[in-house]
Amino acid sequence: EALLRCPRGQDAVLSETGDVLVQADELMDYAQGYYDQARDELQETVYIMGRMAPRTADSVPEEVSREFAMEKENVCFCAQMLGGVGNMLAERDEEEEKIVGPDAKKPRVD
C-alpha cells in the first residue's frame, strides 16, 4: 500500500535515511510482483487451512481450536488487505491508461 501511495513519477524514498527504495519507473512492476506473490501465498494458506479445518473441529483440545479460529480471522484480515492493494493496483493501471493510452502501457509479465 505504501508503495502505491507514492506520487506518480517519483521514487519511493525512505523517510528516515533518504535512500531510494524503488525508482519511479520500476514502482508499479515492483508493487505488482509483491502483490502477485502475496496473492499466491494467500491462496495456498487458505487451501491448507481448509484441509486442516475438519481435523481441528473435534479431535483437538479447545485451546488449539480457539487458536485456529484466531488464525482464520488473521487470514481473513490479510485477504481484505490484499484485496485493497489489488484495487489500488487496478486504479493506478486505469489512471496510467488514461494518461498514456491503452497501447502505450508496458505489458506486465506474470
Side-chain angles (χ1 to χ4, degrees), residues 2 6-7 9 26 34 39 45 52 67 92 97 99-100 106:
C6 291
E26 299 173 353
Y34 270 102
R39 185 191 61 218
T45 301
M52 290 173 56
E67 287 177 17
R92 290 282 295 246
E97 210 169 271
I99 293 170
V100 298
K106 185 168 79 170

Side-chain angles (χ1 to χ4, degrees), residues 1-6 27 31 80-86 88 92:
E1 287 180 3
L3 287 175
L4 296 174
R5 288 192 189 111
C6 291
L27 192 127
Q80 288 177 325
M81 286 178 31
L82 193 59
V85 170
M88 289 174 76
R92 290 282 295 246

Side-chain angles (χ1 to χ4, degrees), residues 10-29:
Q10 292 185 14
D11 295 340
V13 178
L14 298 174
S15 59
E16 295 174 2
T17 63
D19 294 339
V20 174
L21 180 63
V22 181
Q23 294 179 351
D25 60 341
E26 299 173 353
L27 192 127
M28 286 300 292
D29 289 333

Side-chain angles (χ1 to χ4, degrees), residues 22-86:
V22 181
Q23 294 179 351
D25 60 341
E26 299 173 353
L27 192 127
M28 286 300 292
D29 289 333
Y30 190 79
Q32 183 73 46
Y34 270 102
Y35 169 77
D36 292 341
Q37 182 180 5
R39 185 191 61 218
D40 292 345
E41 293 296 326
L42 179 64
Q43 287 174 344
E44 172 110 10
T45 301
V46 169
Y47 172 76
I48 291 169
M49 291 187 83
R51 289 185 50 124
M52 290 173 56
R55 296 181 194 154
T56 59
D58 301 320
S59 60
V60 297
E62 187 176 325
E63 180 180 327
V64 173
S65 183
R66 276 196 305 265
E67 287 177 17
F68 188 75
M70 285 178 52
E71 287 302 318
K72 287 195 303 188
E73 287 180 26
N74 291 338
V75 168
C76 288
F77 179 69
C78 288
Q80 288 177 325
M81 286 178 31
L82 193 59
V85 170

